[in-house]
Amino acid sequence: MPAILEQISEALIDGMSKKVQGLVNKAVEEGIDPKSIINDSLLVGMSEVADLFQEGEMFVPEVLVAAKAMNKGMEILKPMITEDDLEKAGKVIMCTVKGDLHDIGKKLVTMMLEGAGYEVKDLGVDVTPEKIVEVSKDYKPDIVGMSAMLTTTMVSMRDSVSALEEAGLGDTVVMVGGAPVSEKFANEIGAHYAGDASTAVKLANKLVSK
Ligand code: B12
């Protein structure tokens, strides 16, 4: 593992956006695969941030600063992991469901899907079932991806699946994820589950090839 990837993780944890940007640019110049920079440094750093937050070693403002540093790194990498896509693998709507403002995981899944050749419409956070239905009618996605990080917002996933059914879009393929979500819950609401961004891509590939 190149040392620079570890340095990026450390700078991210320290919330040093400029340093993250500089190191990410340097890693790219050194020829490190942008996907590896995401998986082996940015993701590793953010997961460490999550652990530190849970252990009470880091607090909300620091987490936000770290998330911002991560986004700054991603801004550099995003065009690079999408530019080699010649043919679109499929169309995906991604969102964080109603009541939920967590978007780091959703952004990662979006980026990884784009990197794998998908055209992704990211509806942002706090997205209502009505909005999902409205955009689905228009955009006709192969997959609707929903993210939730709060136990209390998982119910919005169920509501969104119901809303799609009620709107006559019951055959929409739905993919769900986020820390409190499980395979069991996904099955219960008639959706598919993946536990992380890389698995989400594999799942999407499986779902669109059906
Ligand atoms: C960062 C963070 C925040 C940031 C969010 C910044 C942002 N822009 O996203 C801020 C500070 C704003 C925040 C706010 C809150 N948070 Co918060 N937050 C976190 C934290 C520390 C990390 C989450 C994160 O980004 N993880 C890193 C990413 C990469 O992981 P991920 O989201 O799980 O995503 C991966 C997978 O789950 C999967 N995935 C995700 N989405 C999808 C979607 C699909 C379709 C698929 C297939 C896969 C997939 O792939 C991703 C990449 O591998 C977690 C703690 C934790 N351990 O997770 C708490 C946590 C989620 N937060 C929590 C809480 C309680 C809150 C607040 C209510 C706090 C408060 N009292 O105000 C608010 C809620 C605001 C709201 N309405 O949403 C709790 C939730 C508890 C629960 N079970 O309900 C947690 C677990 C912390 C805790 N232990 O208490 N939070």
Side-chain angles (χ1 to χ4, degrees), residues 53 60 63 99 101-105 108 147 149-151 175 178 195 197:
F53 182 77
V60 172
V63 171
L101 303 176
H102 295 86
D103 69 351
I104 298 165
L108 282 172
S147 179
M149 285 300 283
L150 298 171
T151 332
M175 185 167 86

Side-chain angles (χ1 to χ4, degrees), residues 43 46-47 49-51 53-54 60 63-64 67 70-71 94 99-106 108-109 145-152 175-180 192-198 200 203:
L43 261 179
M46 201 58 219
S47 129
V49 168
D51 289 347
F53 182 77
Q54 259 175 340
V60 172
V63 171
L64 281 174
M70 166 148 185
N71 284 334
M94 277 297 296
D100 204 316
L101 303 176
H102 295 86
D103 69 351
I104 298 165
K106 178 206 53 142
L108 282 172
V109 174
M146 300 180 208
S147 179
M149 285 300 283
L150 298 171
T151 332
T152 47
M175 185 167 86
V176 293
H192 303 267
Y193 169 79
D196 58 62
S198 325
L203 174 65

Side-chain angles (χ1 to χ4, degrees), residues 150-183:
L150 298 171
T151 332
T152 47
T153 55
M154 285 166 66
V155 66
S156 303
M157 290 180 159
R158 194 190 291 272
D159 293 346
S160 301
V161 171
S162 304
L164 284 166
E165 277 165 12
E166 281 159 25
L169 299 171
D171 50 6
T172 304
V173 177
V174 177
M175 185 167 86
V176 293
V181 181
S182 65
E183 179 105 51

Side-chain angles (χ1 to χ4, degrees), residues 64-172:
L64 281 174
V65 175
K68 192 171 161 217
M70 166 148 185
N71 284 334
K72 289 284 170 201
M74 279 186 174
E75 275 171 21
I76 299 169
L77 298 167
K78 200 172 171 180
M80 295 174 197
I81 63 164
T82 52
E83 79 192 0
D84 38 34
D85 308 331
L86 298 170
E87 214 176 297
K88 291 292 166 206
K91 292 203 289 183
V92 182
I93 286 178
M94 277 297 296
C95 66
T96 298
V97 296
K98 189 180 165 199
D100 204 316
L101 303 176
H102 295 86
D103 69 351
I104 298 165
K106 178 206 53 142
K107 277 190 183 157
L108 282 172
V109 174
T110 299
M111 285 182 59
M112 296 296 278
L113 285 171
E114 286 177 342
Y118 287 86
E119 181 186 310
V120 186
K121 202 181 219 5
D122 186 345
L123 304 185
V125 297
D126 193 17
V127 178
T128 61
E130 294 75 24
K131 180 78 185 172
I132 294 171
V133 169
E134 185 194 315
V135 180
S136 296
K137 277 186 184 158
D138 196 40
Y139 187 65
K140 299 187 177 43
D142 298 291
I143 303 173
V144 171
M146 300 180 208
S147 179
M149 285 300 283
L150 298 171
T151 332
T152 47
T153 55
M154 285 166 66
V155 66
S156 303
M157 290 180 159
R158 194 190 291 272
D159 293 346
S160 301
V161 171
S162 304
L164 284 166
E165 277 165 12
E166 281 159 25
L169 299 171
D171 50 6
T172 304

